[in-house]
Amino acid sequence: MSYIPLFIIVALAFVIPMLSEKLRIPAVVGEVLCGVFLGFLGFSVSEAHGVAFLADFGFVFLMFLAGLQMDFSQTSVRNARLFLLSALIYCLTLSISTTLMHILGLPFCLALAFSTSSVGLAVSTTRELGISTSEYGQVILINAFIADFSTLLILTVLTMQIERGISFDLLLILLLFLLFLVLYFVGKVAVWRFPEPISALFDASRNSELGVRASFALLLVFVVLSEIVGVEAVLGAFLAGIMISLLGGGTLLEQKLYGIGYGFLIPIFFINVGISANLTFISDGIYMLPSLLLVAFTAKILPSLLLLTRYSLKKSISAGILLSSRLSLMIAIATILLKLHLIDNKMASSIIILAIITSIVCPTAFKWLQGSDTAEAEQS
Protein backbone atom coordinates (compact mmCIF):
# COMPACT_ATOMS: atom_id res chain seq x y z
CA MET A 1 0.00 0.00 0.00
CA SER A 2 1.37 3.41 -0.99
CA TYR A 3 1.42 6.17 1.63
CA ILE A 4 1.76 8.93 -0.97
CA PRO A 5 -2.01 9.75 -1.21
CA LEU A 6 -2.25 9.89 2.59
CA PHE A 7 0.85 12.09 2.78
CA ILE A 8 -0.61 14.54 0.25
CA ILE A 9 -3.94 14.79 2.08
CA VAL A 10 -2.36 15.13 5.54
CA ALA A 11 0.08 17.78 4.30
CA LEU A 12 -2.78 19.76 2.80
CA ALA A 13 -4.86 19.30 5.97
CA PHE A 14 -1.99 20.96 7.87
CA VAL A 15 -1.84 23.99 5.55
CA ILE A 16 -5.56 24.52 4.93
CA PRO A 17 -6.55 25.85 8.43
CA MET A 18 -3.90 28.58 8.22
CA LEU A 19 -5.08 29.66 4.77
CA SER A 20 -8.73 29.45 5.84
CA GLU A 21 -8.06 31.67 8.84
CA LYS A 22 -6.55 34.34 6.60
CA LEU A 23 -9.49 34.09 4.22
CA ARG A 24 -11.90 34.14 7.20
CA ILE A 25 -13.74 31.00 6.16
CA PRO A 26 -14.34 27.78 8.19
CA ALA A 27 -11.52 25.25 7.84
CA VAL A 28 -14.04 22.66 6.67
CA VAL A 29 -14.91 24.88 3.72
CA GLY A 30 -11.23 25.14 2.82
CA GLU A 31 -10.89 21.35 3.00
CA VAL A 32 -13.81 20.75 0.65
CA LEU A 33 -12.55 23.37 -1.82
CA CYS A 34 -9.08 21.83 -1.67
CA GLY A 35 -10.62 18.45 -2.44
CA VAL A 36 -12.44 19.97 -5.43
CA PHE A 37 -9.09 21.25 -6.73
CA LEU A 38 -7.47 17.83 -6.25
CA GLY A 39 -10.35 16.20 -8.09
CA PHE A 40 -9.84 18.66 -10.96
CA LEU A 41 -6.18 17.56 -11.12
CA GLY A 42 -7.29 13.93 -11.37
CA PHE A 43 -6.36 12.93 -7.80
CA SER A 44 -8.38 9.97 -6.48
CA VAL A 45 -8.40 7.84 -3.33
CA SER A 46 -10.49 5.04 -4.87
CA GLU A 47 -7.40 2.89 -5.30
CA ALA A 48 -5.84 3.93 -1.99
CA HIS A 49 -7.84 1.61 0.23
CA GLY A 50 -6.32 2.83 3.47
CA VAL A 51 -7.21 6.44 2.72
CA ALA A 52 -10.72 5.45 1.64
CA PHE A 53 -11.24 3.66 4.97
CA LEU A 54 -9.94 6.65 6.93
CA ALA A 55 -12.33 8.90 5.00
CA ASP A 56 -15.27 6.61 5.82
CA PHE A 57 -14.25 6.40 9.47
CA GLY A 58 -13.80 10.17 9.52
CA PHE A 59 -17.45 10.43 8.50
CA VAL A 60 -18.48 8.17 11.40
CA PHE A 61 -16.24 10.09 13.82
CA LEU A 62 -17.74 13.37 12.62
CA MET A 63 -21.20 12.14 13.65
CA PHE A 64 -19.73 10.97 16.97
CA LEU A 65 -18.38 14.46 17.66
CA ALA A 66 -21.70 15.98 16.56
CA GLY A 67 -23.37 13.99 19.34
CA LEU A 68 -20.62 14.90 21.78
CA GLN A 69 -21.12 18.55 20.89
CA MET A 70 -24.69 18.44 22.16
CA ASP A 71 -23.92 20.09 25.48
CA PHE A 72 -27.07 19.40 27.48
CA SER A 73 -25.78 21.46 30.39
CA GLN A 74 -26.07 24.46 28.07
CA THR A 75 -29.61 23.59 27.03
CA SER A 76 -31.20 22.81 30.37
CA VAL A 77 -33.94 25.35 29.79
CA ARG A 78 -36.42 25.31 32.64
CA ASN A 79 -39.44 26.03 30.50
CA ALA A 80 -40.46 22.90 28.55
CA ARG A 81 -42.47 25.06 26.17
CA LEU A 82 -39.22 26.14 24.51
CA PHE A 83 -38.54 22.52 23.56
CA LEU A 84 -42.05 22.14 22.20
CA LEU A 85 -41.69 25.39 20.27
CA SER A 86 -38.40 24.17 18.79
CA ALA A 87 -39.99 20.85 17.81
CA LEU A 88 -42.85 22.73 16.13
CA ILE A 89 -40.36 24.90 14.23
CA TYR A 90 -38.58 21.77 12.98
CA CYS A 91 -41.83 20.14 11.84
CA LEU A 92 -42.74 23.32 9.96
CA THR A 93 -39.25 23.45 8.43
CA LEU A 94 -39.56 19.88 7.19
CA SER A 95 -43.04 20.57 5.79
CA ILE A 96 -41.91 23.69 3.93
CA SER A 97 -38.82 21.91 2.58
CA THR A 98 -40.93 18.99 1.33
CA THR A 99 -43.44 21.32 -0.31
CA LEU A 100 -40.72 23.32 -2.06
CA MET A 101 -39.07 20.12 -3.29
CA HIS A 102 -42.40 19.16 -4.88
CA ILE A 103 -42.80 22.59 -6.48
CA LEU A 104 -39.27 22.51 -7.91
CA GLY A 105 -39.66 18.90 -9.08
CA LEU A 106 -36.76 17.70 -6.94
CA PRO A 107 -36.53 14.43 -4.95
CA PHE A 108 -38.44 14.55 -1.67
CA CYS A 109 -35.45 13.10 0.18
CA LEU A 110 -33.61 16.41 -0.34
CA ALA A 111 -36.02 17.99 2.16
CA LEU A 112 -33.95 16.27 4.86
CA ALA A 113 -30.81 18.13 3.78
CA PHE A 114 -32.66 21.46 4.01
CA SER A 115 -34.10 20.61 7.43
CA THR A 116 -30.70 20.43 9.12
CA SER A 117 -28.74 23.13 10.90
CA SER A 118 -25.09 23.29 11.84
CA VAL A 119 -24.79 22.68 15.59
CA GLY A 120 -21.09 23.47 15.47
CA LEU A 121 -21.56 26.85 13.83
CA ALA A 122 -24.51 27.69 16.10
CA VAL A 123 -22.51 26.83 19.24
CA SER A 124 -19.36 28.68 18.16
CA THR A 125 -21.27 31.76 16.96
CA THR A 126 -23.45 32.15 20.06
CA ARG A 127 -20.49 31.55 22.36
CA GLU A 128 -18.39 34.10 20.49
CA LEU A 129 -21.15 36.69 20.96
CA GLY A 130 -21.59 35.75 24.63
CA ILE A 131 -25.28 34.77 24.28
CA SER A 132 -25.05 30.96 24.51
CA THR A 133 -26.27 30.92 28.13
CA SER A 134 -29.10 33.38 27.53
CA GLU A 135 -32.62 32.13 26.82
CA TYR A 136 -32.37 33.44 23.25
CA GLY A 137 -29.06 31.65 22.66
CA GLN A 138 -30.34 28.42 24.17
CA VAL A 139 -33.44 28.49 21.96
CA ILE A 140 -31.17 28.67 18.91
CA LEU A 141 -29.05 25.78 20.18
CA ILE A 142 -32.10 23.65 21.01
CA ASN A 143 -33.47 24.25 17.52
CA ALA A 144 -30.17 23.17 15.97
CA PHE A 145 -29.96 20.07 18.17
CA ILE A 146 -33.53 18.97 17.43
CA ALA A 147 -33.05 19.58 13.70
CA ASP A 148 -29.89 17.48 13.48
CA PHE A 149 -31.10 14.63 15.68
CA SER A 150 -34.54 14.38 14.06
CA THR A 151 -33.14 14.57 10.54
CA LEU A 152 -30.59 11.86 11.26
CA LEU A 153 -33.32 9.64 12.69
CA ILE A 154 -35.61 10.16 9.70
CA LEU A 155 -32.69 9.50 7.34
CA THR A 156 -32.04 6.19 9.10
CA VAL A 157 -35.68 5.14 8.70
CA LEU A 158 -35.59 6.17 5.03
CA THR A 159 -32.43 4.17 4.44
CA MET A 160 -33.91 1.04 6.01
CA GLN A 161 -37.14 1.45 4.04
CA ILE A 162 -35.24 1.72 0.75
CA GLU A 163 -32.91 -1.19 1.45
CA ARG A 164 -35.46 -3.58 2.99
CA GLY A 165 -38.91 -2.15 2.37
CA ILE A 166 -41.57 -1.47 5.00
CA SER A 167 -41.26 -4.27 7.54
CA PHE A 168 -40.85 -5.01 11.20
CA ASP A 169 -37.14 -4.32 10.72
CA LEU A 170 -37.97 -0.67 11.32
CA LEU A 171 -38.66 -1.62 14.93
CA LEU A 172 -34.95 -2.40 15.23
CA ILE A 173 -34.37 1.34 15.51
CA LEU A 174 -36.39 1.23 18.73
CA LEU A 175 -34.15 -1.61 19.87
CA LEU A 176 -31.08 0.56 19.30
CA PHE A 177 -32.62 3.37 21.36
CA LEU A 178 -33.58 0.85 24.05
CA LEU A 179 -29.98 -0.33 24.22
CA PHE A 180 -28.90 3.30 24.43
CA LEU A 181 -31.21 3.90 27.40
CA VAL A 182 -30.04 0.71 29.12
CA LEU A 183 -26.38 1.60 28.71
CA TYR A 184 -27.08 5.17 29.82
CA PHE A 185 -28.78 4.12 33.05
CA VAL A 186 -26.08 1.51 33.69
CA GLY A 187 -23.50 4.25 33.19
CA LYS A 188 -25.32 6.64 35.53
CA VAL A 189 -25.53 3.96 38.23
CA ALA A 190 -21.86 3.11 37.74
CA VAL A 191 -20.87 6.78 38.05
CA TRP A 192 -22.95 7.05 41.25
CA ARG A 193 -21.81 3.76 42.83
CA PHE A 194 -18.18 3.77 41.70
CA PRO A 195 -17.24 7.40 41.14
CA GLU A 196 -13.48 7.01 41.59
CA PRO A 197 -12.91 4.04 39.19
CA ILE A 198 -15.20 5.59 36.56
CA SER A 199 -13.51 8.94 36.98
CA ALA A 200 -10.14 7.25 36.58
CA LEU A 201 -11.39 5.46 33.47
CA PHE A 202 -12.29 8.73 31.78
CA ASP A 203 -9.34 10.67 33.23
CA ALA A 204 -7.80 12.17 30.11
CA SER A 205 -4.71 13.30 32.03
CA ARG A 206 -3.42 9.73 32.50
CA ASN A 207 -0.57 8.60 30.27
CA SER A 208 -2.43 5.41 29.34
CA GLU A 209 -5.17 7.57 27.75
CA LEU A 210 -7.90 5.30 29.12
CA GLY A 211 -10.48 8.01 28.53
CA VAL A 212 -9.73 8.16 24.81
CA ARG A 213 -9.65 4.36 24.60
CA ALA A 214 -12.96 4.06 26.44
CA SER A 215 -14.51 6.65 24.11
CA PHE A 216 -13.41 4.76 21.02
CA ALA A 217 -14.65 1.52 22.54
CA LEU A 218 -18.05 3.05 23.25
CA LEU A 219 -18.15 4.52 19.73
CA LEU A 220 -17.46 1.15 18.16
CA VAL A 221 -19.95 -0.59 20.46
CA PHE A 222 -22.73 1.59 19.08
CA VAL A 223 -21.45 1.36 15.51
CA VAL A 224 -21.36 -2.44 15.70
CA LEU A 225 -24.81 -2.51 17.33
CA SER A 226 -26.07 -0.33 14.48
CA GLU A 227 -24.68 -2.80 11.96
CA ILE A 228 -26.23 -5.73 13.82
CA VAL A 229 -29.71 -4.20 13.85
CA GLY A 230 -29.21 -2.98 10.29
CA VAL A 231 -29.34 0.81 10.67
CA GLU A 232 -26.92 3.52 9.55
CA ALA A 233 -23.63 3.41 11.47
CA VAL A 234 -23.73 7.21 11.73
CA LEU A 235 -26.81 7.01 13.98
CA GLY A 236 -24.94 4.71 16.37
CA ALA A 237 -21.95 7.06 16.32
CA PHE A 238 -24.22 10.02 17.05
CA LEU A 239 -25.79 8.21 20.01
CA ALA A 240 -22.34 7.28 21.34
CA GLY A 241 -21.37 10.95 21.34
CA ILE A 242 -24.58 11.89 23.14
CA MET A 243 -23.86 9.16 25.71
CA ILE A 244 -20.47 10.63 26.60
CA SER A 245 -21.97 14.13 26.68
CA LEU A 246 -24.70 12.97 29.09
CA LEU A 247 -22.30 11.07 31.33
CA GLY A 248 -19.92 14.03 31.43
CA GLY A 249 -16.74 13.02 29.68
CA GLY A 250 -14.83 16.11 30.77
CA THR A 251 -13.40 19.08 28.92
CA LEU A 252 -9.88 17.66 28.57
CA LEU A 253 -11.20 14.38 27.15
CA GLU A 254 -13.39 16.25 24.67
CA GLN A 255 -10.41 18.35 23.58
CA LYS A 256 -8.39 15.22 22.87
CA LEU A 257 -11.23 13.64 20.91
CA TYR A 258 -11.69 16.87 18.94
CA GLY A 259 -7.95 16.84 18.27
CA ILE A 260 -8.07 13.31 16.86
CA GLY A 261 -11.18 14.05 14.83
CA TYR A 262 -10.61 17.55 13.47
CA GLY A 263 -6.83 17.15 13.47
CA PHE A 264 -6.69 13.98 11.39
CA LEU A 265 -9.76 11.89 10.53
CA ILE A 266 -12.39 14.51 9.61
CA PRO A 267 -10.17 16.57 7.24
CA ILE A 268 -9.57 13.36 5.25
CA PHE A 269 -13.34 12.90 4.94
CA PHE A 270 -14.03 16.47 3.80
CA ILE A 271 -11.13 16.54 1.35
CA ASN A 272 -12.43 13.26 -0.07
CA VAL A 273 -15.92 14.83 -0.35
CA GLY A 274 -14.42 17.65 -2.40
CA ILE A 275 -12.56 15.17 -4.61
CA SER A 276 -15.84 13.37 -5.32
CA ALA A 277 -17.58 16.67 -6.14
CA ASN A 278 -15.55 17.38 -9.25
CA LEU A 279 -15.78 20.59 -11.25
CA THR A 280 -17.73 18.96 -14.08
CA PHE A 281 -20.66 18.16 -11.80
CA ILE A 282 -20.42 21.55 -10.07
CA SER A 283 -20.54 23.46 -13.36
CA ASP A 284 -23.48 21.35 -14.53
CA GLY A 285 -25.43 21.99 -11.35
CA ILE A 286 -24.53 25.64 -10.77
CA TYR A 287 -27.80 26.82 -12.34
CA MET A 288 -29.72 25.17 -9.48
CA LEU A 289 -27.99 27.17 -6.76
CA PRO A 290 -30.33 30.23 -6.78
CA SER A 291 -33.44 28.09 -6.26
CA LEU A 292 -31.67 25.92 -3.69
CA LEU A 293 -30.53 29.00 -1.76
CA LEU A 294 -34.11 30.28 -1.77
CA VAL A 295 -35.28 26.98 -0.30
CA ALA A 296 -32.46 26.98 2.25
CA PHE A 297 -33.42 30.37 3.69
CA THR A 298 -37.19 30.10 3.31
CA ALA A 299 -37.35 26.74 5.10
CA LYS A 300 -35.62 28.19 8.17
CA ILE A 301 -36.64 31.85 8.33
CA LEU A 302 -40.40 31.34 7.89
CA PRO A 303 -40.72 28.81 10.76
CA SER A 304 -38.51 31.01 12.95
CA LEU A 305 -41.26 33.64 12.87
CA LEU A 306 -42.96 31.49 15.52
CA LEU A 307 -40.38 32.99 17.88
CA LEU A 308 -42.33 36.26 17.61
CA THR A 309 -44.31 34.98 20.60
CA ARG A 310 -41.18 35.61 22.70
CA TYR A 311 -38.82 37.87 20.74
CA SER A 312 -38.79 40.79 18.32
CA LEU A 313 -39.09 40.40 14.55
CA LYS A 314 -35.41 41.18 14.12
CA LYS A 315 -34.33 38.54 16.63
CA SER A 316 -36.68 35.96 15.15
CA ILE A 317 -35.34 36.51 11.64
CA SER A 318 -31.77 36.56 12.98
CA ALA A 319 -32.32 33.15 14.58
CA GLY A 320 -33.66 31.82 11.28
CA ILE A 321 -30.62 33.12 9.44
CA LEU A 322 -28.17 31.45 11.83
CA LEU A 323 -30.15 28.20 11.70
CA SER A 324 -29.92 28.39 7.90
CA SER A 325 -26.19 27.67 8.16
CA ARG A 326 -25.62 24.07 7.20
CA LEU A 327 -22.29 22.36 6.82
CA SER A 328 -21.20 18.98 8.16
CA LEU A 329 -24.56 17.18 8.35
CA MET A 330 -25.81 18.59 5.04
CA ILE A 331 -22.68 17.29 3.32
CA ALA A 332 -23.08 13.98 5.17
CA ILE A 333 -26.69 13.65 4.02
CA ALA A 334 -25.69 14.40 0.44
CA THR A 335 -23.06 11.65 0.72
CA ILE A 336 -25.61 9.12 2.03
CA LEU A 337 -28.28 10.03 -0.55
CA LEU A 338 -25.68 9.67 -3.30
CA LYS A 339 -24.72 6.19 -2.05
CA LEU A 340 -28.41 5.25 -2.03
CA HIS A 341 -28.70 6.50 -5.65
CA LEU A 342 -31.48 8.89 -4.62
CA ILE A 343 -29.59 11.84 -6.11
CA ASP A 344 -26.92 12.10 -8.77
CA ASN A 345 -23.42 13.55 -8.59
CA LYS A 346 -24.60 16.84 -10.04
CA MET A 347 -27.16 17.37 -7.27
CA ALA A 348 -24.75 16.18 -4.57
CA SER A 349 -22.16 18.69 -5.77
CA SER A 350 -24.76 21.49 -5.73
CA ILE A 351 -25.72 20.59 -2.14
CA ILE A 352 -22.08 20.67 -1.07
CA ILE A 353 -21.56 24.12 -2.61
CA LEU A 354 -24.79 25.28 -0.95
CA ALA A 355 -23.51 24.07 2.43
CA ILE A 356 -20.29 26.00 1.90
CA ILE A 357 -22.13 29.21 1.00
CA THR A 358 -24.52 29.10 3.97
CA SER A 359 -21.70 28.27 6.40
CA ILE A 360 -19.94 31.49 5.40
CA VAL A 361 -22.86 33.87 4.88
CA CYS A 362 -25.23 32.96 7.75
CA PRO A 363 -22.95 33.27 10.82
CA THR A 364 -21.55 36.51 9.38
CA ALA A 365 -25.03 37.97 8.85
CA PHE A 366 -26.14 36.87 12.33
CA LYS A 367 -23.11 38.53 13.95
CA TRP A 368 -23.82 41.74 12.02
CA LEU A 369 -27.47 41.76 13.10
CA GLN A 370 -26.54 41.11 16.73
CA GLY A 371 -23.90 43.80 16.54
CA SER A 372 -26.43 46.30 15.23
CA ASP A 373 -28.77 45.34 18.08
CA THR A 374 -25.98 46.07 20.58
CA ALA A 375 -25.22 49.42 18.93
CA GLU A 376 -28.90 50.40 19.06
CA ALA A 377 -29.10 49.44 22.73
CA GLU A 378 -26.03 51.52 23.57
CA GLN A 379 -27.43 54.54 21.73
CA SER A 380 -30.73 54.29 23.56
Side-chain angles (χ1 to χ4, degrees), residues 157 160-170:
V157 174
M160 292 185 67
Q161 191 274 329
I162 291 172
E163 294 178 345
R164 309 184 202 179
I166 299 175
S167 66
F168 287 107
D169 289 344
L170 293 175

Side-chain angles (χ1 to χ4, degrees), residues 77-85:
V77 183
R78 289 178 288 274
N79 194 339
R81 285 182 295 179
L82 294 179
F83 285 92
L84 295 176
L85 180 60

Side-chain angles (χ1 to χ4, degrees), residues 15-341:
V15 176
I16 289 170
M18 293 182 284
L19 295 176
S20 299
E21 186 175 355
K22 289 188 176 182
L23 296 174
R24 296 183 178 181
I25 61 174
V28 172
V29 173
E31 289 158 6
V32 175
L33 293 177
C34 178
V36 171
F37 180 70
L38 288 177
F40 173 72
L41 296 178
F43 186 88
S44 174
V45 299
S46 58
E47 298 179 0
H49 301 293
V51 178
F53 169 78
L54 288 173
D56 289 340
F57 191 65
F59 179 27
V60 171
F61 205 76
L62 173 66
M63 292 298 101
F64 170 69
L65 293 184
L68 184 63
Q69 208 165 27
M70 294 181 72
D71 187 357
F72 292 94
S73 65
Q74 291 287 332
T75 57
S76 55
V77 183
R78 289 178 288 274
N79 194 339
R81 285 182 295 179
L82 294 179
F83 285 92
L84 295 176
L85 180 60
S86 299
L88 180 59
I89 289 174
Y90 174 74
C91 291
L92 189 56
T93 297
L94 185 58
S95 300
I96 293 174
S97 300
T98 304
T99 302
L100 292 176
M101 290 302 101
H102 176 70
I103 294 173
L104 295 174
L106 298 175
F108 287 107
C109 58
L110 281 177
L112 294 176
F114 289 97
S115 300
T116 64
S117 292
S118 176
V119 173
L121 288 176
V123 170
S124 61
T125 303
T126 54
R127 283 183 176 174
E128 182 179 341
L129 294 173
I131 61 172
S132 61
T133 57
S134 67
E135 185 189 85
Y136 178 63
Q138 289 189 21
V139 167
I140 293 175
L141 297 182
I142 292 170
N143 271 279
F145 294 160
I146 289 178
D148 281 9
F149 183 80
S150 302
T151 301
L152 196 56
L153 181 60
I154 296 172
L155 180 64
T156 301
V157 174
L158 176 65
T159 302
M160 292 185 67
Q161 191 274 329
I162 291 172
E163 294 178 345
R164 309 184 202 179
I166 299 175
S167 66
F168 287 107
D169 289 344
L170 293 175
L171 296 176
L172 293 175
I173 297 177
L174 297 178
L175 177 60
L176 183 64
F177 279 98
L178 179 61
L179 292 171
F180 171 82
L181 291 175
V182 170
L183 289 176
Y184 169 68
F185 284 114
V186 169
K188 290 294 287 185
V189 171
V191 170
W192 178 65
R193 293 288 300 274
F194 311 102
E196 293 184 3
I198 297 297
S199 177
L201 180 65
F202 283 94
D203 185 1
S205 63
R206 297 181 63 174
N207 292 331
S208 58
E209 299 291 358
L210 283 178
V212 175
R213 298 186 191 195
S215 299
F216 270 93
L218 183 63
L219 165 62
L220 291 173
V221 163
F222 275 96
V223 169
V224 170
L225 287 174
S226 298
E227 291 185 348
I228 291 174
V229 301
V231 302
E232 282 289 335
V234 292
L235 179 61
F238 192 71
L239 291 175
I242 292 176
M243 177 75 75
I244 294 180
S245 178
L246 287 171
L247 295 177
T251 303
L252 182 56
L253 174 61
E254 291 178 6
Q255 289 175 351
K256 291 187 176 183
L257 293 173
Y258 288 144
I260 295 172
Y262 289 104
F264 180 61
L265 291 170
I266 295 173
I268 296 176
F269 165 69
F270 280 116
I271 291 175
N272 187 49
V273 166
I275 292 172
S276 302
N278 61 57
L279 289 178
T280 302
F281 294 131
I282 292 174
S283 60
D284 289 343
I286 198 74
Y287 73 93
M288 291 185 285
L289 277 178
S291 57
L292 294 180
L293 279 169
L294 180 62
V295 174
F297 286 104
T298 302
K300 288 293 183 179
I301 293 177
L302 280 183
S304 295
L305 294 178
L306 292 176
L307 295 176
L308 285 171
T309 57
R310 307 186 73 92
Y311 307 107
S312 65
L313 177 62
K314 189 174 183 179
K315 280 200 168 186
S316 300
I317 293 177
S318 298
I321 290 174
L322 182 58
L323 291 170
S324 297
S325 58
R326 305 166 176 92
L327 190 56
S328 303
L329 191 53
M330 190 178 216
I331 293 176
I333 289 174
T335 303
I336 293 174
L337 294 180
L338 183 61
K339 288 181 179 178
L340 294 173
H341 305 292

